[in-house]
Amino acid sequence: MAEALRSKVDEGDESSFSENKVRSFLSPFTCFNHVMLRHGIGRRIKEAWGKLEHIKTEMSQLGLSVDRGESERVDSEVRRGEIEERETGSLLHQSSIVGRENDKKEVVDLLLRENGGEVNETPIVISIVGMGGLGKTTLAQLAYNNEDVTGHFDMRMWVFVSVHFDVKKITKLIIKSANGSSCESLDLDQLQHHLHEILHAKQFLLVLDDIWSENSEKWDKLRLPFQAGALGSRIIITTRSEKVALAKGNTHMYKLAVLSEENCWLLFSRRALDHRSAEERSELEETGREIVKKCGGVPLAAKTIGSAMRSRRTRSQWDLVLGSDIWTTGDTLGGILPALLLSYYNLPPALKQCFMYCSVFPKDWWINKESNTDVIVKLWVAQGFIHSEGSGDVEEISKLYLDNLLRRSLLQAAEMDSYGNKCKMHDLVHDLAQFVTGSDCSIVEIGKQASSKIKNVRHSSLIANYEEDADNEVASTWATLYKAHKLRTLLLAPSISSLPNNLFHHLRRLRVFDASFTSITKLSQTVGQLKHLRYLDLSYTSVKELPAAVSNCRNLWTLKLNSCFRLRKLPRGMRKMISLRHLELEDTHMLKYLPQGIGRLTGLQMLTRFIMGDRDDGCKCGELKNLNHLQGRLRIIGLENIGSADEAREAELYKKQHLHAISLQYYDRRELLDDEMKRMEDVLQSLQPHRNLKEFQILHYQGSKLPKWLEDPAFSNLVKVHLEKCQKCKQLPGLGKLPSLKSLEIMEMEEVRYVGGEFIGDDNNDRSGGGGVSFPKLETLMFWGMPNWEEWELRGGDVMPSLLQLEIHNCPKLKALPCNLPLLLQKLALNISNEGMLSGGPLPILPNLNHLVIWYSPELKMLPCGWLGQFKVLRILEIYRCEQLESLPELQHLTMLQELKIMCCPLLRDRYRDGGEGRGKISHIPRIEIVT
């Protein structure tokens, strides 16, 4: 496939030659190359087929056969043995449980709570969800045996379900738990009628422990008799998978968290130390606590390891365990790996492969999961793990796989940060992944002796001991990696400063190469030998340019160059990389243009920056024409290089229906002739995007008016608009009729003096206003850097009824805020100056304001009397960079004020610091922060 793709691209290049003599001269050689290619590949296929025939003959001679049923039978027996060992009951020793009091209280509350306004469903299902070994069963037992619970329900039943969800078998077990009868001879219909009679008009509690099946049809069949129970009946299910919980139509999902380190220590020490003398406990505690950290808050791990350490008497024996390989082999983990192995066994084959691959990342490695940072999603695709049936997008399928692993608790999700949603593997799940993957994945530490099995490793990450990564040790590690001829993934440690020139000559099977965050400055030309390479990440490196040979990587799918601050140019041959789907160029500010021919990469789905060159260098606007598969965000830079409106229309942005965010950016040019300004306005009008757009941004625009399409209510999905440095615009665009706009940021529009009817979409601008709702969903409005803005009027009918946050910064001449600001407003941030805001009277009545920020007001010496008096529900007051502000007004009447922040206000700092003369006046505020 790689050679065929190379041939296809070369043919395309050949057809682009303009002189017939050149074409006719090359044709014989091209035909010869095609013949040789077909002959070579045909020979290799013949050799492979011969090997398969030989294996088949040997199998026949040895009497071997492929019996998939037998294989599944053996696997089933293995699972059955593990399940029998794990079978649970309802009884427990409560004295051995630590750290679950709050969890028990919340679950008991769900059991005893009246239905109230909930859906009138009988019974209500409560799902306890979490990874293996976390204590889901223990929590269910605690709730099941609670005194209030036992007295509340007429009947309680406990059934252990596990992997095989057999409706008939489970129904029998429920009946047996309810009244002790076995009912072995009854069919399913008879069983269900019998259970219906047992539960009739009774308020019951049923625990179904350790459910794995996602089959909602089986669940619907099982629960038919449950409807006979009285209102208030409850079912508790425990499961490792959110998807299982959702399939049960649950009303409540309770996600169980890990234990605190201190509670884990209590569990561990009870088993490992309680029988020892005080002197022994003191000697072993430090090492024991380090071992407990490896348990990662999983109680089963703490108990299992604690039991294993019970027979080890000395500190040296404990240190040996702490530093050994047992954490990845599972030999000493005893019961913890079998408990987790069930999670692995229950995965479909494709998910098993994806799960095992995650062990290539070091422990505690965060995996980003959000739009253009779906790292693991792209890596799975690059390795060929994701297969699409029909027209399905492999990346969308890959994202579903990731969500599936998250729901099964095999990956842990974290809260969203600036890099998106993050997830990682729990340490014990990482041990499981390493255990099941065997020698396929290896984490190599610089300076450490590599495994003798390195030659069979397929996926590896290189990590560094920052105290010992001397140059000779790095060189030794490279020499070791050269032996890994089967290597398909290589992730480099950030401390790597250079790459050997012959690295790729040895590792020709690489599909993924990630050197992000390293200090490398260049890439060897031998990268062109990587015909299988599909993922190349050089983000946050000091690379100045890519070698021309990169364009020979015709199978490359993802090229990430984010924050390569020194990158100046890309190879001219990039037009040959027709497999490229993702070209990420965020924060590559030294890159002044993209090479011509980018428009040939019609499969591109992500192009974060499209940089147009001038008349001699780089690609032109028209190269966007055929890139209609672009998704996500696109920043178009260098719009001043577009010569006319006709040229702008060639980009056909209105056809890019999958783009949800577009940023149009000009290089900052202060002075333009009138005809240049008119051309700029016409060009911008011709760059109308598709109406699916959600976010729009424009920077350094030098025209006198913004495009009319920006005001069109037909852009019904537009939720965010950012206008920055539109220096020549004298009035704001009429955005008030955009039905979904939630966030509006207007920055450095120096010519604007008045904001009124034109802003809300009143074309007459007659100061009389009109009816209807303007900015119906706007929640956040920010003005920044408008030095000549003097007056702001809100006219018309209902204006900004949803506004929650208003920020006004560096607008020194604005005398007053509109008196009719929305009453819903909750946060206000503004400057105050003698010439501006102080001269315009008091602030408007804002009864719901709970957060006030006074920012960078260097002239301000005191707040006007009565300014704060009206804010009865104010909870947060922040004051920044008010160097002349001497004191605050009385704050005692602000009874709901919870937080006061003062930053870079030297006079206030001295007055209100601890021991300062004014400290007593603010001492009633719970949280006070004063920073120089």
Side-chain angles (χ1 to χ4, degrees), residues 857-868:
S857 301
E859 305 170 356
L860 186 65
K861 292 187 177 181
M862 65 176 60
L863 290 175
C865 294
W867 257 41
L868 298 180

Side-chain angles (χ1 to χ4, degrees), residues 1 3-4 36-46:
M1 288 176 64
E3 294 299 335
M36 292 301 295
L37 172 64
R38 291 171 181 267
H39 174 74
I41 291 179
R43 175 178 52 79
R44 290 164 64 185
I45 291 174
K46 187 176 181 180

